[in-house]
Amino acid sequence: MARELKTVGVVGLGTMGAGIAEVFARHGLTVVGVERDDESVQRGRGHIQHSTDRAVKRGKLSVEDQQALFDRVTFATSAEALADCDLVIEAVVERLELKREIFAALDKIVRADAILATNTSSLSVTEISVATQRPGRVVGMHFFNPAPVQEFVEVIKTVVTEPDVVEDVLALARRLEKVPVVAADRAGFIANALLFGYLNHAVSMVESRYATREDVDAAMRLGCGYPMGPLQLLDLIGLDTAYEILDTMYKQGRNRLHAPAPILKQMVTAGLLGRKTGRGFYTYEAPDSPVVVDDEHTPLRHGNEIAVRPIKQVGVVGSGTMAVGIVEVLAKAGYDVRYVARGTEKVDRVRATLERSLEKGVQRGKLSSEERDAALRRVTGTAKLDDLASADLVIEAVIEELSVKQALFETFDEICKPGAILATTTSSLPVIDLAMATKRPADVVGLHFFNPAPVMQLVEVVSTVSTAAEVADTVAAVAVAAGKHPVRCGDRAGFIVNALLFPYLNDAVRMLEAHYAGVDDIDAAMKLGCRLPMGPFELLDVIGLDVSLAIQRTLYLEFREPGFAPAPLLEHLVTAGYLGRKTGRGFRDYSG
C-alpha cells in the first residue's frame, strides 16, 4: 500500500517549478519552495501569484482558497529547509551536471526514506540518480506545462528504482488529480520521444522552403485538429529547450529523425529562442507576448494583383464520398458544377447523396432552404466525360490508382478546352505523373481536399515543377471562395499533413513494438500531455491500418529515410487482416 506523502519540496521556482509547487499546495500538501537567492524566490512567488490570480478571476479558485494555498507554501534560499520533506522534486534548467550537483546535495540533507524526483523531460534519470547514495529512491516525475492545467504526468523508473517508490509517486499523482503513466528511463520518455521527431520534421520542411511556416502550422491545425501548429509550438516551448531535447535523444538513440535540424542550432546561437525572447520562427510584439507581428518572412497579402484565370464552371469526376463532398462545397460557393459518374445509376446516386447532405444542412440551421435549392440548381450530373468540354476547372476524385488517374488525365487533355485547369485530389500519388500524361503539364495541379470535404477547412495546393504560378493561384482562390484555407507545397510524397503525421504514427507503433509502453499509455500521453485530439493508436484504427501502411510505404520509397520504414508490427497486423475499426480489430478490439 502506498504511503501518504504530506510535505514536498520543489527546487527551482521558474515557470515549471512554480506551477508544480502550486499543484501540490492546491491539493493540501505542505510545500517548501527553494531558489538560489531572494530575487529568484520573489520571481517564483510572483509566478504562483499570477497563476492563482487568473484562477480567481475565472472563478476557478476563491480568494479564501488562494490565501490558504499560500499559507501552505514556505519559500527558502537554502536546501537545508527541505530536511523534513517526504518528497523533493527538482525543476531546474535541463543541464545534467547542475541536476547531479543538486541531487548530491539533497542526498546529504533529506531523510533516508525520502523520495528524490526530477522533472527532467529528456535527461537520463539514471545518470542523475547515481549522483546520490540512494539511486533506488530516485524517480522521474515529469509534469507538463502549465502544470496546474495539464492532467498528464510521466513517472520514470530506472532499472534500480524501488517498486514502493513508484507506487508512492503514482498515488501522489492521482491525489493531484493527474493521469500518471509509468515509463522506463529512455530519452524523451513517451510524449517527447514522439512529439519532437514530428516537430523536427516540420522545421526541416520550413528550412528547405518546401512550405512556409504559416502553411505548415495551418496544415496541422486544420488538417489534424492540433491545438497549435508545430512552429508555433516550438516558439512556445523555446528553441533552446527543443534543441537540447532533440540533441539528447539523438545522442542516446542515434535516430536521424532526432538529429536537430541545422537551423535550430543557428537560431539558438543567434538568440532567437521563441516567445520568451520575442523572436523565433515568428516575431512577437514583445518578449513573452503571444501576439505575432509581421516580419520579413510574412507572406505578402495579395490583393487584386494576383493573376488568376476566370472560373465559372467546374467539373468533378468521381462518385465517392470525396467527389460528392467537393461538388457540395463548390455548388454552395456559387460555382456551376457538372459531375461525371460511371452510368446513370451512379449519377442518380450522387444526386441523392448530395440532396440528403444539403437537407441535413438545412435541418441543422447551417443552410437556408433557398440556399439549398440554389446550390442544387447549379449542379448537373452526366455519365459522359465529353460533357466537361466547357469546364474552366476539372477536379479528378477517383480511386487512388496511378494507371486509372493517368488514363483520365489523357482523356481530359483531349476533351478540355485550352486554358482549363486540370486538378487531382490525390493524397499520395505524384502529381507530376498525371501532368505528364497530358500535353499541358503547366495546367495541372494538386488540389487535396480533406475528408469530409464540406466540414474540413484545409486544402493542400500542390505545385509540380511544371505547374504555372497562375494555375496554383487560381485554385487557391477557388478554395478561398469556397470557404477553405489553402496551403501550398511542392509535389512530393505526403505533401504537408501526411508527411508529418504518418512518421509520428509509425514511431508510436515502434514504441509499442519495443514494449516500452502500452497502447493506452501512449494514447494518454499524446492526448493529455500534448493535447492532441486523438492518440496515435486511436487514430490509426480510424484511418485503417492498411491505408496507413500504404502511405508509410510511399513515404519510405520517396525519402529513403530508414526511420520512415514501416514498423514490422504494422505490417503484421495488416497481413493478419486486423485493419482497425472497419474490421472490428486493429490495435484495439472493437468486436465486443
Side-chain angles (χ1 to χ4, degrees):
M1 184 177 171
R3 67 179 175 133
E4 185 181 358
L5 305 175
K6 296 179 179 178
T7 304
V8 296
V10 181
V11 179
L13 296 173
T15 304
M16 198 72 225
I20 294 169
E22 179 186 335
V23 170
F24 285 137
R26 272 192 187 224
H27 289 83
L29 285 91
T30 301
V31 182
V32 180
V34 174
E35 259 292 359
R36 60 180 180 272
D37 53 41
D38 289 334
E39 184 182 344
S40 300
V41 164
Q42 287 308 312
R43 195 179 303 122
R45 194 185 194 289
H47 286 316
I48 301 174
Q49 185 75 51
H50 180 64
S51 174
T52 54
D53 282 348
R54 278 189 306 180
V56 169
K57 191 175 179 181
R58 291 173 182 171
K60 295 183 176 180
L61 194 69
S62 69
V63 174
E64 294 76 19
D65 285 343
Q66 182 187 33
Q67 185 55 55
L69 184 155
F70 273 101
D71 290 343
R72 287 191 284 271
V73 183
T74 304
F75 296 95
T77 55
S78 169
E80 298 292 339
L82 303 167
D84 292 326
C85 290
D86 300 315
L87 175 143
V88 178
I89 183 166
E90 161 276 312
V92 303
V93 294
E94 289 284 87
R95 291 210 308 270
L96 180 61
E97 284 312 309
L98 175 60
K99 290 178 188 284
R100 284 169 58 87
E101 284 175 21
I102 288 170
F103 272 72
L106 290 173
D107 191 35
K108 297 182 176 70
I109 294 168
V110 300
R111 299 193 314 264
D113 66 340
I115 297 170
L116 298 179
T118 173
N119 184 56
T120 183
S121 60
S122 62
L123 298 174
S124 166
V125 178
T126 305
E127 289 189 45
I128 295 169
S129 73
V130 294
T132 75
Q133 300 300 310
R134 60 176 101 189
R137 308 290 300 169
V138 177
V139 69
M141 194 175 186
H142 178 215
F143 287 80
F144 284 69
N145 196 24
V149 175
Q150 294 277 49
E151 298 171 66
F152 186 62
V153 174
E154 288 173 319
V155 176
I156 316 304
K157 63 175 182 179
T158 73
V159 290
V160 295
T161 304
E162 295 166 11
D164 67 304
V165 168
V166 175
E167 288 306 313
D168 290 349
V169 172
L170 285 172
L172 175 62
R174 294 186 187 107
R175 181 178 166 190
L176 302 176
E177 297 179 49
K178 304 296 184 186
V179 177
V181 301
V182 178
D185 186 21
R186 190 176 91 174
F189 314 135
I190 299 174
N192 282 350
L194 295 178
L195 176 67
F196 277 86
Y198 150 72
L199 295 177
N200 200 37
H201 191 182
V203 173
S204 297
M205 262 188 192
V206 173
E207 184 175 26
S208 66
R209 300 187 182 180
Y210 174 68
T212 66
R213 62 192 180 183
E214 288 86 358
D215 280 354
V216 169
D217 280 346
M220 299 313 289
R221 285 198 318 271
L222 301 177
C224 296
Y226 286 7
M228 298 182 80
L231 289 316
Q232 295 169 308
L233 181 55
L234 280 162
D235 275 358
L236 178 62
I237 292 167
L239 272 56
D240 49 346
T241 302
Y243 179 84
E244 289 298 331
I245 290 171
L246 282 165
D247 192 47
T248 300
M249 290 198 299
Y250 176 70
K251 284 173 179 172
Q252 190 173 114
R254 291 293 187 265
N255 182 344
R256 266 189 12 194
L257 300 178
H258 293 152
I263 196 172
L264 272 178
K265 188 169 188 180
Q266 295 165 26
M267 293 175 77
V268 170
T269 303
L272 308 177
L273 307 183
R275 283 195 195 180
K276 59 188 172 188
T277 59
R279 180 115 190 225
F281 284 101
Y282 293 90
T283 299
Y284 299 87
E285 196 173 49
D288 293 318
S289 169
V291 180
V292 175
V293 296
D294 287 354
D295 58 23
E296 66 272 24
H297 301 298
T298 303
L300 294 172
R301 285 169 174 75
H302 293 298
N304 297 327
E305 73 275 12
I306 292 185
V308 296
R309 299 180 187 178
I311 303 292
K312 293 181 180 177
Q313 188 183 110
V314 182
V316 178
V317 180
S319 57
T321 304
M322 182 56 76
V324 180
I326 293 169
V327 170
E328 178 180 336
V329 164
L330 295 172
K332 286 193 294 192
Y335 293 100
D336 291 326
V337 185
R338 180 165 291 167
Y339 66 87
V340 182
R342 278 188 175 178
T344 54
E345 186 182 329
K346 285 191 176 179
V347 170
D348 293 343
R349 196 182 306 151
V350 169
R351 182 80 187 190
T353 304
L354 178 63
E355 288 174 354
R356 277 198 307 275
S357 181
L358 290 170
E359 179 56 31
K360 279 184 186 175
V362 172
Q363 291 175 4
R364 291 174 180 171
K366 296 181 178 180
L367 206 65
S368 69
S369 54
E370 292 78 15
E371 287 169 328
R372 174 200 61 200
D373 295 342
L376 286 170
R377 281 196 299 272
R378 296 186 195 107
V379 178
T380 55
T382 176
K384 296 194 299 183
L385 285 169
D386 287 353
D387 290 340
L388 298 175
S390 58
D392 303 306
L393 165 65
V394 176
I395 302 172
E396 163 276 309
V398 301
I399 190 169
E400 284 284 272
E401 284 186 19
L402 184 60
S403 59
V404 174
K405 290 180 187 283
Q406 282 177 318
L408 205 48
F409 273 76
E410 283 179 19
T411 306
F412 291 162
D413 199 32
E414 295 164 6
I415 292 169
C416 295
K417 66 185 182 183
I421 295 173
L422 311 180
T424 173
T425 60
T426 184
S427 62
S428 59
L429 298 173
V431 179
I432 192 65
D433 285 356
L434 306 182
M436 297 315 293
T438 75
K439 295 183 178 66
R440 51 173 111 181
D443 291 338
V444 178
V445 68
L447 193 58
H448 179 214
F449 287 81
F450 283 69
N451 198 23
V455 175
M456 298 293 281
Q457 280 187 276
L458 185 69
V459 175
E460 290 175 318
V461 175
V462 185
S463 296
T464 74
V465 290
S466 300
T467 304
E470 69 176 43
V471 167
D473 286 345
T474 300
V475 295
V478 169
V480 170
K484 302 302 180 187
H485 185 113
V487 298
R488 301 179 187 231
C489 61
D491 179 27
R492 69 183 200 194
F495 310 138
I496 298 174
V497 173
N498 284 352
L500 290 176
L501 176 65
F502 281 88
Y504 146 72
L505 296 176
N506 197 49
D507 283 348
V509 180
R510 288 182 182 280
M511 186 178 277
L512 177 67
E513 197 173 54
H515 303 290
Y516 179 69
V519 166
D520 292 339
D521 283 352
I522 295 171
D523 274 358
M526 302 316 290
K527 284 200 291 187
L528 301 178
C530 301
R531 295 292 175 186
L532 303 189
M534 298 177 83
F537 299 109
E538 194 178 353
L539 182 55
L540 281 161
D541 280 353
V542 168
I543 294 168
L545 273 56
D546 50 342
V547 174
S548 303
L549 177 59
I551 292 171
Q552 195 60 44
R553 282 174 174 164
T554 301
L555 290 170
Y556 179 52
L557 287 171
E558 175 99 339
F559 296 103
R560 309 298 169 96
E561 170 58 61
F564 287 2
L569 176 58
L570 181 61
E571 294 185 314
H572 294 168
L573 288 168
V574 171
T575 302
Y578 299 158
L579 308 183
R581 287 193 181 179
K582 60 188 174 187
T583 60
R585 184 166 175 183
F587 286 100
R588 289 186 173 88
D589 190 339
Y590 302 93
S591 59

